[in-house]
Amino acid sequence: MGLKYIKSKQKKLEKKWRLEEELRLKEEEARIAKMEAEAREREERAYQKRRLLEKQENERLRLKRVEEKKVIAEKKWVNQRDTLVTQVKERIRINNALEEVRVIVQNRDPSLQALDWDDWLLSDPLNQRLAELDLEIAMALFKRDNLLAKRRHGTRGKKAASKPFVLTFAGSSATDYVSTIFNPDDYDGTGTGLNHGFTISYWVKPDQIGGFLKALGRRSETDGRWEFGIKSADLLHVGVGASVKDDNTHNDGVETGHGMTVGNWYHWVVTYGGDDHSSIGGDKHVRMWINGKEIYKDGAASGTGNENGMGTANWRNDDTNTVNAASNLYFGARAAFQDLVTPYTQGWACSLSEIAIYNVEKDEDGTFANEVYNAGFGYNHKNNSNLVGYWRLNEGSGTTVEDLSGNGNHGTLTTDGTEIPTWTKNSSYE
C-alpha cells in the first residue's frame, strides 16, 4: 500500500509539474510574442515617422526649389523689363535728338564767312547744341558753311581770316538792346545777390558821347541800382544799390574825367567790396579802372581806404528785394522801374564785347584790370573762379547771346523800336 501510494503520488506530482511547465512555457511564449509584437509596432511607428519626415523634407525641398525658380523668373523678368525700359528710353532720346537735329539744321543760318572750328561753334548757339547732339553732322555743316563762304567771297581754297564779332547798338534812336535773365539780386537762383561784392569787366566803343548813356544796367526800384555808363562828356555814371558815382574829375592825369571819345575801344572794370551789413561784412568800397588806369572821385587819391577811389556805396539786402520787369540786366541800355511796360531807358549808341561778372571783389590795386586790359582781344574769362555771368557777344549771327558762366542767363537781341542790335566784325580793341 505504501509503495503503491507513493508511486501514484509521484505520478500526480510529475503530471502537475509537467502541466505547470507547459503553462509556464505557454506564458513565456505569449510574453515573447507580445514583446515581439510591441517591438514590431514600435518599429512600424518609427518607420512611419521616418516616412513622414522624409515626405515633409521632400516637400520642403520641392517648395524651396519652386520658390527659387520663382525668384529667378522674377529677376529675369525684372531684368528684361529694365532692359526694355532702357531701350525704349534710349529710342525716345535718340528720336528726340534726331528731331532736334532736324529742327536745328532747318532753322540755323549758315555762317557768312569761313571760320575755324572754335569760332564756328561760338558764332551761333545752335552750332554748339548741334555738336552736342551729333558731332558728325555738326562737322559736316561746319565744312559746308566754310565751303559756301569761300565760294561766296571768291577765296577758292584760300583760308579766310577768322574775325570774331562784337555787338553794336544804335541807342535810343532805335531802342535796341539785349534783354537777359540775369538778376543782380539773385544771379544763380539761390537768393544771393551781388551786394555781397562783385567785379564787372567789359569793353565798350562809344559811337556817341553825351548825357546819361548806359552800356548795361538795371534799376529795379529807387535804391535798386546796378548800372554802368556815362553822365556827360566828362563824368561817369555808375549806380550801385542806393548810391550813384558820378563825381569823378580825373583819370590818372587825364583831366577830362573819363577821357573817352567816339570810335575808340575802352576797357572798364568796376569792383565793389560788399555792403557793411552784419550779414555781409563788406567795406562798401567802389573802385573803377578804365584801360587799366584807376578812376578817382573828385578830391580823392589812390589807395585802399574808403575815402579813396570812387568812395563807398550802400546796398542793403532789403533795398533791392523787388522783382519786376526791371530786375534783370539789359545790354546797350538799362531797364528802369519807372515804366515796367517798356523798361528801356538811357540807351547808348556803342559797341560792346566781353561782358564778365564775378561775385567777388577781384581787384583792389588794378592787377586784374591791367591783366585783362593788356591781354586785349585774346582774354578769356571762362576758366576763372567766381564767374557768375559771361557774355562774349561774338556769336556773329542769330538773336541769342550765350551766358558762358554756366548759370544759363542767356540774352536775347531785342527792340522796342525799329531794329535789333547788329553783329559787327572786329579783330582787335586797338
Side-chain angles (χ1 to χ4, degrees):
M1 284 287 293
L3 181 59
K4 186 176 181 180
Y5 171 78
I6 292 172
K7 288 182 178 180
S8 173
K9 187 70 172 179
Q10 179 68 34
K11 288 180 180 180
K12 289 179 180 180
L13 288 173
E14 288 177 354
K15 183 178 181 181
K16 179 182 178 183
W17 292 341
R18 186 172 62 252
L19 292 174
E20 288 177 350
E21 180 64 20
E22 289 175 356
L23 180 60
R24 188 188 66 76
L25 290 174
K26 287 180 179 180
E27 289 177 350
E28 181 65 19
E29 289 176 357
R31 187 182 66 79
I32 292 172
K34 182 180 180 182
M35 291 176 60
E36 289 177 347
E38 290 175 349
R40 286 194 299 272
E41 185 178 356
R42 287 194 300 272
E43 186 176 347
E44 179 66 20
R45 286 198 300 269
Y47 172 75
Q48 293 299 332
K49 185 176 181 180
R50 289 196 302 273
R51 286 285 306 275
L52 180 60
L53 291 175
E54 288 176 356
K55 287 182 179 180
Q56 290 175 342
E57 179 64 13
N58 290 337
E59 180 65 11
R60 187 187 68 80
L61 293 175
R62 186 186 70 80
L63 293 176
K64 181 180 179 181
R65 288 193 295 272
V66 170
E67 186 64 25
E68 288 175 346
K69 289 181 179 179
K70 182 179 179 182
V71 170
I72 292 172
E74 289 179 350
K75 287 183 177 179
K76 184 176 181 182
W77 180 84
V78 169
N79 290 336
Q80 291 174 342
R81 182 200 64 188
D82 291 345
T83 300
L84 181 60
V85 169
T86 300
Q87 290 174 346
V88 170
K89 288 182 178 179
E90 179 64 14
R91 174 55 57 186
I92 292 174
R93 187 193 66 78
I94 292 173
N95 289 342
N96 290 341
L98 289 174
E99 177 61 18
E100 188 174 357
V101 167
R102 185 187 66 79
V103 171
I104 290 175
V105 171
Q106 288 181 345
N107 295 335
R108 65 178 291 277
D109 295 323
S111 175
L112 299 178
Q113 63 174 348
L115 302 170
D116 61 29
W117 173 252
D118 290 338
D119 287 338
W120 184 82
L121 289 175
L122 292 173
S123 68
D124 191 336
L126 291 178
N127 293 344
Q128 299 177 39
R129 179 58 179 159
L130 184 59
E132 293 173 359
L133 293 170
D134 195 315
L135 183 60
E136 186 175 348
I137 292 178
M139 294 187 71
L141 287 180
F142 163 67
K143 293 177 182 179
R144 188 193 70 175
D145 282 3
N146 277 350
L147 179 61
L148 292 176
K150 291 173 182 177
R151 289 177 178 174
R152 185 181 298 111
H153 297 293
T155 58
R156 295 195 177 277
K158 296 180 181 179
K159 185 175 181 180
S162 174
K163 294 183 178 180
F165 291 84
V166 297
L167 200 55
T168 299
F169 302 84
S172 297
S173 64
T175 59
D176 58 339
Y177 58 100
V178 170
S179 61
T180 77
I181 56 174
F182 183 93
N183 183 348
D185 300 323
D186 186 12
Y187 52 81
D188 61 358
T190 66
T192 302
L194 294 179
N195 61 335
H196 286 245
F198 71 79
T199 297
I200 182 168
S201 166
Y202 63 91
W203 288 86
V204 57
K205 183 176 77 170
D207 289 325
Q208 67 176 133
I209 298 292
F212 294 102
L213 303 173
K214 293 299 186 297
L216 64 153
R218 74 90 204 257
R219 188 181 181 189
S220 58
E221 54 185 294
T222 301
D223 293 334
R225 295 179 176 87
W226 205 71
E227 52 189 340
F228 306 90
I230 60 176
K231 182 179 181 179
S232 67
D234 298 324
L235 299 179
L236 302 165
H237 197 267
V238 172
V240 178
S243 304
V244 173
K245 301 300 175 184
D246 60 2
D247 59 348
N248 63 292
T249 58
H250 59 277
N251 174 2
D252 196 33
V254 179
E255 296 301 330
T256 56
H258 53 65
M260 294 195 298
T261 58
V262 169
N264 294 306
W265 281 103
Y266 298 91
H267 178 246
W268 285 43
V269 168
V270 179
T271 67
Y272 178 57
D275 193 83
D276 64 351
H277 188 273
S278 59
S279 64
I280 299 174
D283 62 12
K284 303 197 301 181
H285 201 167
V286 179
R287 297 175 176 83
M288 179 172 180
W289 293 262
I290 295 180
N291 289 352
K293 304 297 184 181
E294 187 169 10
I295 303 292
Y296 310 125
K297 66 180 180 180
D298 189 16
S302 63
T304 58
N306 287 349
E307 74 281 2
N308 299 316
M310 293 297 292
T312 61
N314 294 316
W315 191 2
R316 304 289 187 188
N317 288 328
D318 55 359
D319 285 341
T320 58
N321 55 10
T322 300
V323 177
N324 55 37
S327 295
N328 295 336
L329 190 61
Y330 279 10
F331 301 156
R334 76 165 184 179
F337 73 98
Q338 287 88 347
D339 184 353
L340 295 178
V341 177
T342 54
Y344 176 97
T345 185
Q346 298 184 7
W348 192 359
C350 65
S351 294
L352 290 175
S353 179
E354 295 286 338
I355 300 172
I357 301 170
Y358 298 83
N359 63 358
V360 295
E361 180 187 30
K362 289 183 69 68
D363 215 334
E364 288 187 337
D365 59 4
T367 300
F368 175 73
N370 279 276
E371 175 188 331
V372 180
Y373 171 66
N374 291 329
F377 211 74
Y379 194 87
N380 189 337
H381 294 264
K382 189 173 182 179
N383 294 324
N384 291 352
S385 59
N386 301 110
L387 186 68
V388 296
Y390 185 27
W391 303 264
R392 304 201 77 175
L393 306 183
N394 64 353
E395 282 80 358
S397 64
T399 58
T400 299
V401 293
E402 185 176 7
D403 174 14
L404 299 176
S405 72
N407 285 327
N409 292 313
H410 308 307
T412 302
L413 276 62
T414 310
T415 182
D416 292 340
T418 58
E419 60 185 73
I420 62 174
T422 57
W423 298 106
T424 305
K425 292 181 179 180
N426 192 78
S427 58
S428 76
Y429 297 128
E430 296 296 329

